[in-house]
Every structure is written in structure tokens, then in C-alpha cells.
Amino acid sequence: MTDSMRAAVLRNVRDVVTEERPMPVPGPREVLVRVSSVGVCGSDVHYFEHGRIGDFVVNAPLVLGHEASGEVVAVGSDTTHGLLGKRVSLEPGVPDLTCEQCRAGRYNLCPNVQFFATPPVDGAFCEYVTILEEFAYPVPDTIDDDAAALLEPLSVGIWACRKGEVTAGSRVLVTGAGPIGLMAAEVARAFGAAEVVVTDVNAYRLALAADLGATGIIDVGRDSLEDSGFEPDVLLECSGNAGATVAGIRSVTRGGHVVLVGMGGGALPLPVSDIQTRELRLTGTFRYANTWPSAIALTSSGAVDLNRLVTGHHGLDDVTGALTGAAKDDHVIKAVVTPWAD
């Protein structure tokens, strides 16, 4: 290996350049991963277009990308997991493991987490990254590099279904057929949901939802959710759209669960009377915790199909194309950056 690597660096809003950077060196308990595939997330696009997400502001050059897979090519002196030479999927947020939230098992809420591509922590749109060995998960050969990278957004869907207590026989409404909504719908079916209805305004994505196992789809640009008569036990709100959220909440049956997954605006006009009189249980989600074993099992068994979501590959010199593709083509679902393809 050389002393340097290539990385796609966000220098300013809508300004990404490929640079040479020093090769990262693994710490005592870290592994060095040669990056194979990196999925493009909506957060990457938001940083690219606006330079910030809420309180997270890009004040210095930043490498984006947090949905990553690769091969372990070097290990630190104190590693014990035998990962050298293994293909791995990366859980991109390393918590401090000592704070109150971590000690309570809620490490996704750790205030000191070091999360890839969240300022000031660099991400994986580069040739090599290092990570604590516990957060590099070996994957079987039945999971290819792209799917191994997409175990990260799949984990968001798994966490949402867990928070909504989706189980055998559940009736689930998924609002929003973006990548997370599509994965959440797949997970709900894999968890045994009897009905999974997906709503969106994009006919292509709705058709894909049906192909991936949704039992019903509703184009809410043409048809009303209320008129459908569907009364779910669980709402997985994955659009971040205020109108979709309110309509979804009003459809949920008494005693049901409302899980807010999509990142919307800072405030939302909730239908409080519906929540109170039906005793709906409403919760947010933030990333995930302890989901990778389930994600690997669901994917390797074929219970979910992640490769169907991949709609294009881009090298490091075309990260801008990867970040802007969905805005230009409504058939783009999930772009993947492959650092070694150039």
C-alpha cells in the first residue's frame, strides 16, 4: 500500500473535488478497510446542496458517504476479531461506549458518537477508511459489495419496524417510497406483516414497492389515503412530508403505533385529538442500534432484496453525478459510489 489515497472532498456547497489524502492508519483496536461500495444517502445530498443539516454545519472540507462496505486489509495491534482479509459491512457510527445512553443500551443516542460524514467526521467516499473492529461486520459471499453497503439504510428500516412493534399479522402503512421507505416495507413483510401499503406520488417507485412485496400501493397525487379505507396498526412515516404525516396518523387504528422516520422540517402540525382519543403511541427514530446481525440475516436469506434498489454506479471522479442524479431522473433510487472503478 502507498502512503496516500484518493478521496472525494466537499469543499463548499455543490463543490466536490477528488484529492490525494494521507493513508489512514488504524489505531490499536481499529481495522483498515479498502472501500468497495458506498451508497448515496439523502443526508449526503443535503450537505452537498446546503452545507448543513440542522445544527450540523460543514465548516471545513468534508468527505461524505456513510453507507459503506469493503475488505479489511490491515488491523491494529490490539484487535482480536480475526477480520484481516474479510469482506465487511460498516456500521458508521462509533459511540463512546461510556456515556449514560450507551450504558443504557441506547448507543444510537450517544451524544459523543463519531459518525461518518457528519461534520467534522469524514466519511467513506474515498479508497480507505479506519473503524473500530466491533463496527465492521463480516458478510457472507451471498451478499455482494453493494448490498453489504446498503445494510446501513436497511438497518434504519429494521429499527423503524422494531420501534413500531411490527410482527406477524400487522397491518403496516409506509408513507414515502424512497430508499428507506422501500426497505422499511420489505422489512415489515419479512417480519410477518399481513398487509403493507405504500404511498407516494412517484409511480415508478410505487411499482417497485409492489414488486418488492408491498400488498398495496396508493398514488396520493391522484387518490386519497382516507378514501382507501386502509386502517393500519403501524404507520412508518418515511417521507418527512407534513401532509403525508398528518394523513397517515389519521388513518392509524386505535392503540396503534406511529413511527416518524423521515426527516422533515423543524415543526409539524400534529392531529393531537386523533393521537389522544385513539391512544396512539408516537415515537421518533434516530439511526439504529444492534441491527446488523438482523440485516445480514434478512439479506443473505433473500427475505429482502437490496440490489433491486441500486440504479447506478459512479467512480470517485463522478461523486457529483451520484449526488445530483435523483434530482434529474425520478427513476433513480440508490446511487452507489465505487472508489476503485475509475
Side-chain angles (χ1 to χ4, degrees):
M1 290 184 289
T2 64
D3 294 330
S4 65
M5 67 168 184
R6 298 171 68 239
V9 183
L10 179 67
R11 297 189 305 184
N12 210 326
V13 171
R14 303 187 69 84
D15 178 19
V16 174
V17 296
T18 306
E19 297 179 354
E20 289 286 327
R21 286 199 162 190
M23 175 73 72
V25 177
R29 293 180 54 212
E30 292 184 328
V31 295
L32 177 68
V33 178
R34 183 182 189 270
V35 179
S36 301
S37 294
V38 192
V40 173
C41 175
S43 66
D44 297 316
V45 176
H46 206 82
Y47 282 126
F48 173 76
E49 292 182 343
H50 304 287
R52 67 182 300 153
I53 298 177
D55 294 335
F56 298 105
V57 182
V58 181
N59 290 317
L62 181 72
V63 178
L64 296 173
H66 62 265
E67 304 173 1
S69 67
E71 179 185 351
V72 175
V73 294
V75 299
S77 58
D78 295 340
T79 55
T80 60
H81 291 196
L83 295 178
L84 186 63
K86 298 287 183 65
R87 295 174 56 248
V88 293
S89 172
L90 304 187
E91 181 172 358
V94 178
D96 64 20
L97 301 175
T98 61
C99 71
E100 179 181 358
Q101 297 299 326
C102 286
R103 286 185 281 112
R106 299 185 294 266
Y107 71 82
N108 58 310
L109 302 181
C110 173
N112 303 310
V113 65
Q114 299 290 298
F115 199 91
F116 278 20
T118 299
V121 181
D122 282 326
F125 287 161
C126 55
E127 293 178 332
Y128 294 90
V129 296
T130 57
I131 196 165
L132 194 69
E133 66 173 339
E134 285 83 1
F135 292 83
Y137 294 83
V139 294
D141 291 339
T142 51
I143 300 178
D144 66 17
D145 292 336
D146 288 351
L150 299 189
L151 296 181
E152 195 277 342
L154 179 63
S155 285
V156 176
I158 291 171
W159 190 243
C161 286
R162 288 181 182 175
K163 296 289 278 187
E165 299 183 12
V166 175
T167 188
S170 295
R171 302 187 307 274
V172 179
L173 173 64
V174 179
T175 48
I180 296 299
L182 292 168
M183 291 185 196
E186 285 197 82
V187 174
R189 286 291 280 164
F191 278 19
E195 296 181 74
V196 177
V197 173
V198 179
T199 69
D200 204 283
V201 295
N202 183 315
Y204 176 79
R205 292 186 175 194
L206 287 172
L208 180 55
D211 286 346
L212 291 172
T215 60
I217 56 174
I218 301 173
D219 184 339
V220 290
R222 300 183 311 175
D223 303 309
S224 164
L225 172 60
E226 182 180 5
D227 290 343
S228 74
F230 184 56
E231 193 173 273
D233 306 304
V234 182
L235 166 63
L236 304 178
E237 204 306 293
C238 299
S239 73
N241 178 274
T245 303
V246 172
I249 290 173
R250 287 180 169 153
S251 74
V252 177
T253 194
R254 294 174 185 272
H257 288 78
V258 175
V259 184
L260 302 181
V261 185
M263 298 292 286
L268 181 68
L270 291 175
V272 175
S273 62
D274 294 281
I275 294 171
Q276 289 179 323
T277 58
R278 299 181 194 176
E279 288 199 350
L280 304 182
R281 287 160 285 181
L282 186 149
T283 184
T285 59
F286 188 65
R287 298 172 180 158
Y288 34 70
N290 301 307
T291 53
W292 253 256
S294 294
I296 291 169
L298 289 173
T299 305
S300 62
S301 70
V304 301
D305 185 350
L306 299 178
N307 293 101
R308 287 288 305 280
L309 305 181
V310 177
T311 48
H313 292 86
H314 304 259
L316 280 183
D317 292 329
D318 190 32
V319 163
T320 296
L323 293 165
T324 58
K328 299 174 182 177
D329 183 354
D330 62 7
H331 286 195
V332 171
I333 304 293
K334 178 64 71 171
V336 172
V337 172
T338 50
W340 298 90
D342 291 345

